[in-house]
Every structure is written in C-alpha cells, then in structure tokens.
C-alpha cells in the first residue's frame, strides 16, 4: 500500500498529557484516543515549544522555535515572510486546511509594507498562518469594558444564532455559561464549573468542530491530498461543559494535588511570582480544584466521544485507511499542581503534551501500540508531515525532525535535549520583578534526567532531577553541588541559541552547490601570475590572447 | 538651525581602517576625508558585523546582526520580510536611494511565495534591499567558463560602451585591466597591479559613481528629504587603478608587514586553513604585496580626490550645510598581514573599518575634530539615521544604537562588547576541516581589551589580549591561564545569542500597552466567584443581571 494520502492533524487545547487513560489517568476513560494509540505510537516525552497557546502554535505551524519566529506570546503577530506548514505542503502538492483554532495574529503592518491584501489568496494565507480556512474559530469571545477580546467574526456564534440561540454572544451565554436562579451563570466564574452549559450538547464547540471536519473530508473526498488541522477549542477554559458531561465526574475523581510545602520555601523569584498571582492562588484552593477538574474531565470525555464519532465515520468511509492521524495538544494545565493554575511554566503538567501518531501504512505495523520515550518537540510534526509525503525536509527552515522513523521501528540518532520558551512580558509580574519587556523570557532545557530553566534578567536558574524527583519538588538550581549540571545545561542552551536559524533562504544543498565555485565565474582572488589557476580552467583563462579592445 | 535635511551615507568597499592619513597612515595622504573627520567625529573602534561584503552590508542595511537576518555570505539571499533602512526611513518621510553597490541578492523564492513582482515598486525595493536604485552597480563583472558572476545588467558597462569603450565587458577590459605588449593585461592577475588601468581616469568606477551622486543630489534638490547611499566599488579588487594613480606609490611606501613566526606555530586549525589557502599564500609573498599595495593606495587616493570633488561641489551648492555625512567601509583588507589576504577573519585589518560622521548642526560643534574610542558596530548606523530624523528608533527591529549622542558630546551608557560573524560554508576549507555547512560559522566577541573568536564544530577558541599584544600575534585561546577570560567571553556570546532578535512585529511599547489588559476584554482567568475582579471592573462584570437568552 502506498502512503496515506491525507493527514488529519488533531489538536486539543490545554489537554494535559496525563488526562487520557492511555497515559494513565485512573478515572477518566478515553477509549477512542486509547484505541488510536493502540493502532499507532504513543510518545511519552513530547514537549511544546512554549507552554502558552499562541507561541506554542506558531512554533508547531512553522516547525520552528519561538526564538526563531518571534511570535512569543498570544496575539504577538507572526511576522510576514515566516514560512508555515502550508508553504511547505503546498509546494509539494498537498493542500493545507484549517478547521478550528490557531490563535494566529496577522502581521498587519508587515502585510501592508509588502502590499499583501488579506482578501487575496496569498494575503489570506499569510494572515491565517499558512492555512486555507475551512473554518477559523478560536473560541475566545470574552467581552469586557474594552470590548471583545477577539474582534474577528465568529463562525461559531453565527452558527449558534442560526440555530436560534439568543443574545449577541451565545458563545458566552450558552456554550460557556450555565444557568442559576434563572440567570446566566458565566463560565468565566469557576464556581459555575459544575453547572451544565446552557446548550444542547450537539451544538457545543467540540461536536460542532467535529461536524465541520466531517463536512470538510466529505467535500474533499477524491480530490488533491490534504492536511486538515482539526483544532479543537476544548478542554481549554472556560471550564464548563454541557450535560451529560457536566456531572459525570465529581470531587471524588479529582487526582490528589501534586504540590509540596518545600516548593514555597525560598522559591525561585519568578516561580514565586506565578504562585502568588491570582491564578496560582485560585488553583491552590480545594474548592476551585473540586469545581474545575470534574468539568475539565467532562470536557475531555466529550472530546474523546467526538473522536469515537469521527473515527467511526472515517472507518465507514474508508478514510481511516488512507489518513495519517496525529492527536496532540498545544500545552497542558497545572490544575493546582505546584501551587499553579493554567500553564506558563515548565513543570510537566504544563509543558508536556500527549502525542499519538497513527499511520495506516504497513511499514508502521510493527510499532502499533508501542510507546516512544524519546525527547520529542512539537516542531517535529511539520517535518513529519513533509517527510510523510516523501519530500526532503527543508531543514534550513524547519528546525524539527521527522518522527516517521519511530513509526517504522527505526532507532535514529536523536536529540539530547528539548527546548521550550516562555515570554511573560505582558504579565504584570514582569513589573513586580523589575524585568524589562525584552528580558521577561524563560528557557527550558530538558534531557531525560535533568530539567533546567534559565531566566533572563539576572536570576538564578531552576533545576530538577527528574530521576530522583519526578514530581519536580526540589529545585536544585541554587545548590552548589549541582554546579556542573547547571554548567552543562547552560552550555547546551548557548549552543542552541547560536544555532543557524535564519539562513532560511538557502538550503544546505544550495550552499554545497556553490562551494568553491567563484573561480568558474571569473572571480580570481589571490591569483598573481595565473600559474595558480587550476588546470581545468587554463583553457578559459589562458586561451588565445584577446585583441585589445580600444576606445573607439 | 534645524537638523540636516538629508543624509549622505558613503561606503567604500574593502577600505582598511588604517589606510587614511587621519587614521595614521604614514604615506597615504587623504586630505579630504581627513577634513571631514576634522569637521566631524572619527570613530576608532568601528567593527563590521561580518568581514565580507554581502553579509556585512546586509547587517548594515537592516541594522541587524547576521545571526538575525541570515544572509550570512555573499549572494546568500536576504529573506523576504526582513526590514531594511528603506522601510524605516520611508515610514518617517525620508526617501532612501542607492548610488552604487549593495551586493544584495534578492530572495526570489520568497518573493514568488508572496506574489511580489520585481517590477512593482514594493517588489523592486524588496529586491534591492529597501533602496530605490538611482544606480545599482556592484562592479563584479567576473567572467569564466560558467559565465558571468553577476548576471544583472551593468549600468557601468553600459556607460563605458556609450563612451566608446570596446569589447563586451569593458568593466574588465578597460576599467580593471592594464595593457602589456599590446594585449589586455587582466587586473585579476595581481602581477598586473602596477599597470595603469586602460581607461581615462574620469571614466573609471570611482569618478563615475561620484558623477552619479552629484546628478542625484542636483535632481533631488528642494524635494523630500533623502538618504543617499553612495556606495563605491573601490578600493576593492581587482587591484588596478588608472593613471595618474597607478604610479603615485611604490614598494617604498608599503608599510611593513604585520606578521610573526609565532602565528605559524601550532595555529588554530581554522586560522591555519586560511593561511594555507591560495589567498593567504599569495599575500605572504613580498612581490604580491609590493605589486598590490601601491595600487590599493592609488585606488584610495583616487577615492579621496573624488571626495574632494564631491565635498567642494556640496559646499558650492550649500548641500554641505544641510547634509549629515557618514564615510565608512564594509570591511578591511589583510594585505598580507597575519599571513592572510583579503578579509574573512577577525584581526583588526579585516574586521575594523574607518568611520567618520559629520553633522552640520550646531549641536555637533563641540565635538568637531574629536575621536570616539567606544565600541561601535556598523549596525549602529541604521539607528543613527532614524534618530537623526527625530523618530524613535524601532529597537524591536534595529539591533544597533544611535551614535548621535557621541556627536553631541554626551557619554551614553554603552555596549561592553562588539560582535562580528563569519560564515565559511561555501569555502572548500570547510571540507578540509570536516565541518558541516551549518557549522562553518565563526563568532567574534571583542571588548576594548580582549578579542575572542568562537568557532562552531568543536574547535578551541582564539583569544587575543589587545593591550599586551595589540598586533594580535599571541593566541591565548588554548592557554589554561586565560580560562576565566574565555569563560567570560563565552558567557557574553551566549547572552548575545539568546537575545530577542525576532520579535520584530511588536514594539516594546506595544507589549507594555497590552500588559495586564486581558481582563478588560473579558478574559477572566483564575476568577472563582467574581470577588477577585478589581473594583474598577465591577460595573462591567457585576452590573445588572442580564436576562437569560433562550434558544428561540
């Protein structure tokens, strides 16, 4: 059988790595994603390149580190000219479509500078991070005194209105709120998380996007090969889910919190600032965790049920046998572990994500149901997709590496450490810490044993021994006994930082093709009397004497 | 008086820093550039960001390090999207024109990807490194078995032909060759350097470009403010100059060679490879130096005479009082020092350039004729030009800093070290050294005392103590006694490499403007019961209860 024609690249948002039963969750059963894992390879050390939506996704969609593309936080524009998955795939005849969320912010100033109109095909792709948008819906329709957080049109709100849901923002009032005392009980307030979202389950965000994906696949059947980025909005906050998922889980299913009093004793100043912010304080309260985590589990259960629906449909239509499927997330969720909520820092619940890759090709038969413990970076996916289509990976642009060898049971030489980054320059904590906007940056360097965090701005590092302390309670960054490990990790970070990441307009092969060729074009440097010219060029440079051209 | 309306940015090519009399050359008198220095500020530590034409210029024209823009060698395309001097200046109402050389290679693939046609205004500017080309002429019309080195049209060859110079490439046959025995004696052969170029002096490249600059200034008089990049081709090779400059200097005027037997004892492997290449071997021969250096001096003398002509004309037309003038070079020339020729490595003759800045404004009166010894990088010029026009320097894009404070007698806090880089991936030496194309990279870190060179690929560093050893003969890079200095320089390089260089689509001010603002747009993260919402938002989030929108 030839390789699968299409790629279904499924991303969940804020799905913590250990909240699937195939990754060991004791109470949350996710049989459909488990089954995908049983038919594919499950990666246990997949790190996102930034534990926050926008930056993580820009890395995944460009196949490049945050330090390389510069869109280092939510709504930081991806500069015009940066190449995306869509650029690489279309070049090899593969369409690249979006169904769902990207968190892409267009570089409007850069587009204007280059005269790119967002209603042109090229401009639209630049504005949509290289995707052709079947549906673009970020599901972030917060609204406050300054207006809407996301001012783009919302296909999902349009859909809800078409179905008769009232109000000007049914995303909020129905899909992400409950009802209490006959009033809207906003899902923004975590106390409302146990309520049922005020919406028919089949109209909520996750089934709605599943419908759009099936609609896409049905419409594209028999056409050109495609990658479809099915990018779910959930289980990302607001933490609220419709019936029957809202009460499937209760506080009795909440995993014990992973935190330790030692973490609050003389913590790293940046870690302390995150622990002390509103999010950290809230998620350190049992009542918050007991309200939120069952809803979060319900959202994931709904996602898994939708996977079941989708995969069944794909099996019925035969698509399952002709589609490479990837399922992952853009980052995790602390959920109160380490006295933190949300994401942002580099503990495993935040920076590690689930990653399952299923390839229907017989070459992958030997690895079905296996687990890969190598250090994977999510930027590896872009290279994987190009490699899947048999094209050479443009490694002067893409900084990740194809994962296909792991599906074929090969043992490639692999990276020794993974990198993640975080930019907290928009956080008020940067003020409190006295850090300039360009110094509010963190780098993680992790190998299989050590996890190191470097902070710009003159702070000491953080360091965890993942073997001795897998729960990451004991920060060794200031312990002189580990100075050699700190030095090793710093040297790795330095080498990585010096990497050649911007020579993107010329491949290594092109460099080799012009190596030592200037003399062939008559650039004779260091030649005194011509005897130095290699014999093969003698005819050209020592040929018959040319007549002297005179000024006429 | 208001600030000067226009900027004349003069660049010579391969003009070594100490080959002007104001920089101390004992035999080569350059009164016109000296006079500019007497009326302006002369910088004694100006380093180019790469000691090779293309990469150095791309840094200077973008105001960014090579590691940031990626066009790290001659004819490596500057990727589309990278912002240039022209982008920054036009945004503030200043035209940006080119008269002469840039060594810009357009990113044709990137332009095609974004649909930018090179015959559109935007496309032409992208292809010309942001300049509007009054004249683009790189003066590199080498021709060999593989054809022309530069396949673009040559306005200079067209000019020569219009003046009756014969042959299809009069740039070579007339401007850059002499005559011997009635035959073309090619300037590519250094033995011919003492001959007079076979051209009327006023038709040679340097006067021709001076004419074009005056033509430009005359045409633009009274119009919008402009920057004119008057970018000479000389004293770059081929080393040959027309009469009367060809015999103004002889071997008796050649400065003693700066080299030492210690340099050949166990040298750094990369340094050794450069010493042993054809260029190094040639320039280590006295007959080569005695032939080339007098011609090189003649070329510089001609440049200075043309400066005299240009400045006189500017004085007569009043332009001298309304024009900021910068004179510099894109790199130096070893000329046999350190057993090397040309440029490429980081000894002072290669990486340091002359820099003179003249500002007619009264604010600069106090510093006229003074010398500035601070560590200047040539990327500082782009910031200087923007600052000169009173606009804020976009420091999220431009990595250099304005030099204007030095012209006003201020003592700003300044950088502690300068950076330069070199990519030798197209050199056959990379093969000999067994270095992969992406590891064939060198970094210089220089402060006022120490000069450090790091090479990727597992080599030891180089280190010079410029106080104890100003001639850079004693490489301390492998000496354990200097391990602490090496560590300090490595840490500086690491910090520099981690810098935020790609967040170019968002200014620091824009980051600060959105800091902590998500709650204003209704993104309420970490809020449990609403009590956590600051009082100022209570009206918005705790206002009258909204009626419950029902599904109709």
């Amino acid at each position: 059988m030839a390789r699968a024609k299409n790629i279904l690249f499924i991303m969940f948002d804020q799905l913590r790595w250990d909240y699937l039963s195939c990754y060991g969750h004791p109470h949350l059963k996710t049989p459909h994603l488990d089954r995908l894992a049983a038919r594919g390879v499950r990666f246990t050390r997949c790190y996102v390149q930034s534990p926050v939506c926008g930056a993580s996704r820009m890395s995944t969609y460009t196949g490049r580190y945050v330090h390389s593309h510069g869109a280092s936080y939510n709504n930081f524009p991806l500069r015009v000219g940066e190449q995306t998955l869509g650029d690489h795939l279309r070049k090899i005849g593969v369409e690249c479509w979006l169904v769902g969320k990207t968190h892409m912010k267009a570089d409007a100033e850069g587009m204007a500078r280059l005269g790119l109109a967002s209603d042109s095909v090229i401009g639209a792709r630049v504005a949509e991070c290289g995707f052709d948008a079947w549906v673009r819906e970020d599901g972030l329709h917060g609204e406050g005194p300054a207006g809407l957080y996301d001012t783009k049109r919302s296909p999902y709100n349009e859909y809800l209105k078409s179905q008769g849901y009232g109000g000007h923002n049914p995303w909020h009032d129905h899909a992400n709120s409950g009802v209490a005392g006959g009033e809207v009980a906003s899902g923004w307030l975590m106390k409302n998380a146990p309520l049922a979202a005020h919406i028919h389950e089949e109209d909520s965000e996750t089934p709605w996007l599943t419908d759009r994906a099936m609609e896409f696949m049905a419409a594209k059947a028999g056409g050109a090969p495609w990658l479809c980025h099915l990018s779910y909005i959930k289980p990302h906050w607001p933490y609220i889910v419709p019936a029957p998922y809202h009460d499937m889980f209760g506080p009795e299913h909440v995993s014990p919190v992973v935190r330790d009093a030692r973490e609050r004793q003389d913590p790293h100043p940046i870690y302390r600032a995150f622990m002390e912010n509103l999010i950290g304080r809230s998620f350190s309260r049992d009542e918050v965790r007991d309200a939120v985590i069952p809803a979060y589990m319900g959202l994931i259960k709904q996602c898994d049920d939708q996977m079941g629906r989708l995969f069944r449909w794909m099996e019925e239509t035969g698509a399952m046998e002709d589609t490479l499927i990837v399922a992952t997330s853009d980052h995790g969720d602390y959920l109160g572990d380490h006295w933190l909520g949300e994401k942002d820092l580099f503990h495993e619940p935040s920076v590690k994500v689930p990653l399952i890759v299923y390839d229907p090709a017989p070459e992958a038969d030997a690895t079905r149901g296996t687990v890969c413990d190598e250090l994977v970076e999510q930027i590896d996916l872009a290279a994987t997709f190009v490699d899947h289509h048999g094209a050479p990976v443009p490694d002067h642009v893409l900084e990740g590496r194809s994962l296909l060898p792991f599906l074929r049971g090969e043992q490639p030489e692999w990276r020794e450490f993974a990198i993640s980054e975080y930019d907290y320059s928009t956080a008020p904590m940067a003020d409190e810490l006295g850090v300039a906007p360009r110094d509010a940056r963190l780098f993680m360097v992790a190998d299989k044993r050590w996890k190191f965090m470097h902070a710009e701005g003159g702070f000491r590092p953080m360091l965890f021994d993942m073997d001795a302390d897998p729960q990451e309670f004991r920060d060794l960054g200031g312990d002189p006994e580990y100075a050699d490990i700190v030095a090793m990790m710093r040297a790795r970070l330095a080498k990585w930082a010096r990497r050649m990441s911007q020579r993107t307009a010329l491949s290594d092969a092109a460099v080799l093709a012009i190596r030592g060729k200037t003399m062939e074009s008559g650039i004779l440097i260091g030649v005194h009397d011509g005897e130095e010219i290699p014999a093969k060029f003698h005819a050209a440079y020592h040929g018959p004497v040319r007549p002297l051209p005179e000024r006429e």
Side-chain angles (χ1 to χ4, degrees), chain A:
Chain A
M1 196 191 108
R3 62 174 167 263
K5 179 180 165 191
N6 300 315
I7 298 171
L8 179 61
F9 171 24
I10 301 168
M11 186 175 279
F12 300 98
D13 195 309
Q14 199 145 329
L15 172 60
R16 189 172 142 143
W17 74 275
D18 55 355
Y19 270 62
L20 297 176
S21 38
C22 58
Y23 279 91
H25 198 285
H27 301 298
L28 177 57
K29 298 301 171 196
T30 51
H32 305 294
L33 283 164
D34 292 3
R35 179 147 181 266
L36 191 73
R39 300 173 71 177
V41 174
R42 186 167 63 80
F43 293 85
T44 63
R45 281 192 179 95
C46 178
Y47 289 113
V48 290
Q49 273 46 76
S50 184
V52 66
C53 299
S56 173
R57 289 162 179 270
M58 294 308 108
S59 279
T60 301
Y61 304 152
T62 61
R64 289 160 58 73
Y65 295 105
V66 174
H67 188 245
S68 300
H69 61 68
S72 51
Y73 195 70
N74 292 335
N75 304 320
F76 283 20
L78 183 70
R79 61 162 176 220
V80 69
E82 192 68 21
Q83 295 177 59
T84 61
L85 200 42
D87 293 313
H88 300 294
L89 290 179
R90 274 189 289 269
K91 193 186 290 182
I92 57 174
V94 180
E95 299 183 356
C96 189
W97 288 88
L98 170 68
V99 177
K101 174 170 181 171
T102 60
H103 223 130
M104 167 72 180
K105 170 86 167 181
D107 176 10
E109 194 181 316
M111 289 180 65
R113 192 169 65 241
L114 295 181
L116 298 174
S118 58
D119 59 359
S120 67
V121 170
I122 290 174
R125 287 173 176 164
V126 167
E128 291 292 3
C129 199
F131 292 105
D132 285 325
W134 188 263
V135 177
R136 161 82 188 268
E137 174 58 68
D138 283 358
L140 286 166
H141 304 292
E143 199 173 359
L148 285 163
Y149 175 78
D150 184 346
T151 54
K152 293 188 296 300
R153 59 172 279 249
S154 164
Y156 181 60
N157 259 336
E158 289 167 15
Y159 167 79
L160 290 182
K161 288 176 188 173
S162 79
Q163 298 301 305
Y165 289 94
H168 74 285
N169 186 3
W171 173 87
H172 176 265
D173 292 345
H174 290 275
N176 287 283
S177 289
V179 179
E183 291 170 10
V184 171
S186 173
W188 288 115
L189 305 189
M190 294 190 289
K191 72 172 181 182
N192 295 328
L195 300 176
H198 184 43
I199 193 167
H200 292 279
E201 191 270 335
E202 65 270 24
D203 289 328
S204 62
E205 288 156 285
T206 302
W208 177 74
L209 277 172
T210 306
D211 287 343
R212 299 290 80 72
M214 293 193 290
E215 177 186 283
F216 168 84
M217 286 192 267
K220 288 287 173 183
W226 46 256
L227 175 143
C228 174
H229 181 41
L230 171 53
S231 186
Y232 287 101
I233 294 160
K234 296 296 180 184
H236 190 277
W237 44 252
Y239 301 105
I240 191 162
V241 63
Y245 298 100
H246 73 295
D247 62 3
M248 276 188 190
F249 306 97
E252 68 277 19
H253 300 113
V254 171
S255 300
V257 68
V258 179
R259 68 189 185 205
D260 194 280
R262 281 174 293 174
E263 295 180 287
R264 301 187 73 87
Q265 290 159 8
D266 191 27
H268 190 285
I270 293 170
Y271 178 32
R272 180 203 300 270
F274 277 87
M275 284 194 286
E276 290 180 354
N277 76 8
L278 173 59
I279 298 167
R281 292 196 317 271
S282 286
F283 277 89
S284 295
R285 292 163 59 191
D286 288 345
E287 64 184 320
V288 168
R289 298 181 69 254
D290 285 348
V292 161
I293 293 177
Y296 179 73
M297 292 168 70
L299 286 165
I300 296 168
K301 184 70 183 171
Q302 185 188 25
C303 287
D304 189 66
D305 283 347
Q306 290 299 313
M307 290 298 96
R309 198 177 145 230
L310 178 66
F311 297 155
R312 254 193 322 275
W313 182 85
M314 289 179 70
E315 274 159 13
E316 286 162 14
T317 59
M320 204 72 186
E321 291 310 307
D322 208 14
T323 307
L324 180 89
I325 304 178
V326 168
T328 189
S329 177
D330 63 344
H331 54 75
D333 192 327
Y334 275 108
L335 295 171
D337 290 351
H338 305 286
W339 314 91
L340 296 171
E342 298 294 319
K343 45 262 181 181
D344 307 338
L345 296 184
F346 303 117
H347 297 88
E348 298 282 270
S350 171
V351 75
K352 194 156 101 172
V353 290
L355 174 64
I356 298 166
V357 182
Y358 155 76
D359 181 352
E363 291 84 346
D365 284 350
T367 61
R368 300 196 191 284
T370 63
V371 163
C372 176
D373 297 323
E374 290 301 329
L375 287 160
V376 167
E377 297 179 325
Q378 205 172 63
I379 56 172
D380 294 335
L381 292 176
T384 302
F385 298 149
V386 172
D387 187 30
H388 170 72
H389 280 285
V393 173
D395 61 4
H396 59 301
V397 184
L398 296 180
E399 298 189 289
R401 295 177 56 188
S402 172
L403 300 174
L404 290 190
F406 296 121
L407 271 74
R408 295 172 184 154
E410 297 162 17
Q411 301 288 329
E413 248 198 270
W414 201 245
R415 66 172 64 86
E416 292 188 321
F417 55 88
I419 297 282
S420 193
E421 302 170 69
Y422 188 69
D423 179 336
Y424 63 102
S425 60
T426 64
M429 289 166 287
D431 272 338
E432 295 154 22
L433 291 159
V435 174
R438 58 185 48 221
D439 282 342
R441 293 181 296 131
L442 312 176
F443 297 89
M444 175 195 86
V445 182
D447 63 21
K448 289 182 178 174
R449 175 165 182 192
W450 302 102
K451 189 187 282 182
F452 171 83
M453 189 275 279
H454 167 80
E456 296 297 324
F459 300 97
R460 71 162 173 86
M462 289 178 80
L463 180 72
F464 295 102
D465 180 344
M466 307 292 288
D467 278 357
D469 175 29
Q471 291 186 303
E472 306 174 270
F473 289 152
R474 197 174 153 224
D475 176 7
L476 309 167
D479 186 338
E481 203 179 309
Y482 295 88
D484 56 337
I485 303 296
V486 165
M488 175 184 77
M489 299 306 258
R490 279 205 174 119
R492 287 171 164 181
L493 178 60
K495 185 179 166 65
W496 171 84
R498 294 190 312 263
R499 79 199 180 282
M500 193 192 71
S501 64
Q502 307 301 327
R503 199 173 78 186
T504 54
L506 202 70
S507 69
D508 284 14
V511 167
L512 291 174
I514 58 179
R515 180 174 286 178
K517 292 285 171 62
T518 49
M519 200 175 269
E520 296 186 19
S521 303
I523 303 290
L524 309 182
I525 313 175
V527 173
H528 178 251
D529 55 16
E531 290 308 307
E532 307 90 337
I533 296 174
K536 62 177 173 175
F537 298 134
H538 274 210
Y541 296 116
H542 295 291
V545 167
R546 277 177 296 155
L548 180 68
E550 268 308 326
R551 187 166 177 183
E552 285 145 19

